[in-house]
Coordinates of all heavy atoms in Angstrom, one line a residue:
D259 N 15.6 11.6 -11.1 CA 16.0 13.0 -11.6 C 17.2 13.0 -12.5 O 17.2 13.6 -13.5 CB 16.3 13.9 -10.4 CG 15.1 14.2 -9.6 OD1 13.9 14.0 -10.1 OD2 15.2 14.8 -8.4
K260 N 18.2 12.1 -12.1 CA 19.3 11.8 -13.0 C 19.1 11.5 -14.3 O 19.6 12.0 -15.4 CB 20.3 10.8 -12.3 CG 21.6 10.7 -13.0 CD 22.5 9.8 -12.2 CE 23.4 8.9 -13.1 NZ 23.9 7.8 -12.3
H261 N 18.1 10.6 -14.5 CA 17.7 10.0 -15.8 C 16.6 10.6 -16.5 O 16.0 10.0 -17.5 CB 17.6 8.4 -15.7 CG 18.8 7.7 -15.4 ND1 19.7 7.4 -16.3 CD2 19.3 7.3 -14.2 CE1 20.8 6.7 -15.7 NE2 20.5 6.8 -14.4
N262 N 15.9 11.6 -15.8 CA 14.8 12.3 -16.4 C 13.5 11.2 -16.5 O 12.9 11.2 -17.5 CB 15.1 12.9 -17.7 CG 14.0 14.0 -18.0 OD1 13.3 14.4 -17.1 ND2 14.0 14.4 -19.3
I263 N 13.3 10.5 -15.5 CA 12.3 9.6 -15.4 C 11.3 9.9 -14.3 O 11.6 10.5 -13.3 CB 12.9 8.1 -15.0 CG1 13.9 7.6 -16.0 CG2 11.8 7.0 -14.8 CD1 14.7 6.4 -15.4
V264 N 10.0 9.6 -14.4 CA 9.0 9.9 -13.5 C 9.0 8.9 -12.4 O 9.2 7.6 -12.5 CB 7.6 9.8 -14.2 CG1 6.5 9.9 -13.2 CG2 7.6 11.0 -15.2
L265 N 8.8 9.3 -11.1 CA 8.7 8.5 -10.0 C 7.3 8.6 -9.5 O 6.8 9.6 -9.2 CB 9.7 9.0 -8.8 CG 9.6 8.2 -7.5 CD1 10.0 6.8 -7.7 CD2 10.4 8.9 -6.4
I266 N 6.7 7.2 -9.3 CA 5.4 7.1 -8.8 C 5.4 6.2 -7.6 O 6.2 5.3 -7.7 CB 4.4 6.6 -9.9 CG1 4.2 7.7 -10.9 CG2 3.0 6.3 -9.2 CD1 3.4 7.4 -12.2
E267 N 4.8 6.6 -6.5 CA 4.9 5.9 -5.3 C 3.4 5.1 -5.1 O 2.4 5.6 -5.1 CB 5.0 6.7 -4.1 CG 6.3 7.5 -4.1 CD 6.3 8.5 -3.0 OE1 6.4 8.1 -1.8 OE2 6.3 9.7 -3.1
D268 N 3.6 3.7 -4.8 CA 2.4 2.9 -4.4 C 2.4 3.0 -2.9 O 3.2 2.3 -2.3 CB 2.5 1.5 -5.0 CG 1.3 0.7 -4.6 OD1 0.6 1.0 -3.7 OD2 1.2 -0.5 -5.4
C269 N 1.6 3.8 -2.3 CA 1.5 3.9 -0.9 C 0.2 3.2 -0.4 O -0.2 3.6 0.7 CB 1.3 5.5 -0.5 SG 2.6 6.4 -1.4
A270 N -0.2 2.2 -1.0 CA -1.5 1.5 -0.6 C -1.3 0.9 0.8 O -2.3 0.8 1.5 CB -1.7 0.4 -1.6
Q271 N 0.0 0.7 1.2 CA 0.1 0.0 2.4 C 0.9 0.9 3.4 O 1.3 0.6 4.5 CB 1.0 -1.3 2.2 CG 0.3 -2.3 1.4 CD 1.0 -3.6 1.3 OE1 2.0 -3.9 1.9 NE2 0.5 -4.6 0.5
S272 N 1.0 2.3 3.0 CA 1.9 3.0 3.9 C 1.4 4.4 4.3 O 2.1 5.3 4.5 CB 3.3 3.3 3.0 OG 3.0 4.1 2.0
F273 N 0.0 4.6 4.4 CA -0.5 5.9 4.9 C 0.0 6.2 6.3 O -0.3 5.6 7.2 CB -2.0 5.8 4.7 CG -2.6 7.2 4.6 CD1 -3.4 7.5 3.5 CD2 -2.5 8.2 5.5 CE1 -3.9 8.7 3.2 CE2 -3.0 9.6 5.3 CZ -3.7 9.7 4.1
G274 N 0.8 7.3 6.3 CA 1.3 7.7 7.7 C 2.7 7.3 7.8 O 3.4 7.8 8.8
A275 N 3.4 6.6 6.9 CA 4.8 6.2 7.1 C 5.7 7.4 6.6 O 5.1 8.1 5.7 CB 5.1 5.0 6.3
T276 N 6.8 7.7 7.3 CA 7.5 8.8 6.9 C 9.0 8.5 6.6 O 9.5 7.5 7.0 CB 7.6 9.9 8.0 OG1 8.1 9.3 9.2 CG2 6.2 10.4 8.3
V277 N 9.6 9.3 5.8 CA 11.1 9.2 5.5 C 11.7 10.6 5.8 O 11.3 11.6 5.2 CB 11.3 8.8 4.0 CG1 12.8 8.8 3.7 CG2 10.7 7.6 3.7
E278 N 12.6 10.7 6.7 CA 13.2 11.9 7.1 C 12.1 12.9 7.5 O 12.2 14.1 7.0 CB 14.2 12.5 6.1 CG 15.4 11.6 6.0 CD 16.6 12.2 5.2 OE1 16.3 13.2 4.5 OE2 17.7 11.7 5.2
G279 N 11.1 12.5 8.1 CA 10.0 13.3 8.6 C 8.9 13.7 7.5 O 8.0 14.3 7.8
L280 N 9.2 13.2 6.3 CA 8.3 13.6 5.2 C 7.4 12.3 4.9 O 7.9 11.2 4.9 CB 8.9 14.1 3.9 CG 9.7 15.3 4.1 CD1 10.6 15.6 2.9 CD2 8.9 16.5 4.5
Q281 N 6.2 12.5 4.6 CA 5.3 11.4 4.2 C 5.5 10.7 3.0 O 5.8 11.3 2.0 CB 3.8 11.9 4.2 CG 3.3 12.5 5.6 CD 2.8 11.3 6.5 OE1 2.5 10.2 6.1 NE2 2.9 11.6 7.9
T282 N 5.4 9.4 3.1 CA 5.3 8.6 1.7 C 4.1 9.2 0.9 O 3.1 9.5 1.5 CB 5.3 7.2 2.0 OG1 4.1 6.8 2.5 CG2 6.3 6.5 2.8
G283 N 4.4 9.2 -0.4 CA 3.4 9.9 -1.2 C 3.7 11.3 -1.5 O 2.9 12.0 -2.3
S284 N 4.8 11.8 -0.9 CA 5.1 13.3 -1.1 C 6.4 13.4 -1.8 O 7.0 14.6 -2.1 CB 5.1 14.1 0.2 OG 6.2 13.6 1.0
F285 N 7.0 12.3 -2.3 CA 8.3 12.3 -2.9 C 8.3 12.3 -4.4 O 9.0 13.0 -5.1 CB 9.3 11.1 -2.5 CG 9.6 11.2 -1.0 CD1 8.8 10.9 0.0 CD2 10.8 11.9 -0.7 CE1 9.1 11.0 1.4 CE2 11.1 12.1 0.8 CZ 10.3 11.7 1.6
G286 N 7.4 11.4 -5.0 CA 7.3 11.2 -6.4 C 6.4 12.2 -7.0 O 5.8 13.2 -6.4
L287 N 6.2 12.2 -8.4 CA 5.2 13.0 -9.1 C 3.9 12.7 -8.5 O 3.1 13.6 -8.5 CB 5.4 12.8 -10.6 CG 4.2 13.4 -11.5 CD1 4.4 15.0 -11.4 CD2 4.3 13.0 -12.9
A288 N 3.6 11.4 -8.1 CA 2.4 11.1 -7.5 C 2.6 10.0 -6.5 O 3.4 9.2 -6.7 CB 1.4 10.6 -8.7
G289 N 1.6 10.1 -5.6 CA 1.5 9.0 -4.5 C 0.2 8.5 -4.7 O -0.8 9.2 -4.8
C290 N 0.1 7.1 -4.6 CA -1.3 6.4 -4.8 C -1.6 5.6 -3.6 O -0.8 4.7 -3.1 CB -1.1 5.5 -6.0 SG -0.5 6.4 -7.4
F291 N -2.8 5.9 -3.0 CA -3.2 5.4 -1.8 C -4.4 4.5 -1.9 O -5.3 4.7 -2.8 CB -3.5 6.4 -0.7 CG -2.3 7.1 -0.4 CD1 -1.8 8.3 -1.1 CD2 -1.5 6.8 0.9 CE1 -0.7 9.1 -0.7 CE2 -0.5 7.5 1.2 CZ 0.0 8.7 0.4
S292 N -4.7 3.5 -1.1 CA -5.9 2.6 -1.1 C -6.5 2.6 0.2 O -5.8 2.7 1.2 CB -5.5 1.2 -1.5 OG -6.5 0.4 -1.1
F293 N -7.9 2.7 0.2 CA -8.5 2.6 1.5 C -9.4 1.3 1.6 O -10.4 1.3 2.4 CB -9.5 3.8 1.6 CG -8.7 5.2 1.5 CD1 -9.1 6.1 0.5 CD2 -7.6 5.3 2.2 CE1 -8.4 7.3 0.4 CE2 -6.9 6.6 2.1 CZ -7.2 7.5 1.1

Side-chain angles (χ1 to χ4, degrees):
D259 289 347
K260 180 173 149 202
H261 293 276
N262 202 17
I263 300 169
V264 170
L265 177 63
I266 293 173
E267 298 172 70
D268 181 339
C269 310
Q271 304 186 1
S272 71
F273 206 118
T276 57
V277 179
E278 290 190 348
L280 300 173
Q281 292 283 332
T282 61
S284 68
F285 291 87
L287 174 61
C290 306
F291 296 83
S292 163
F293 305 125

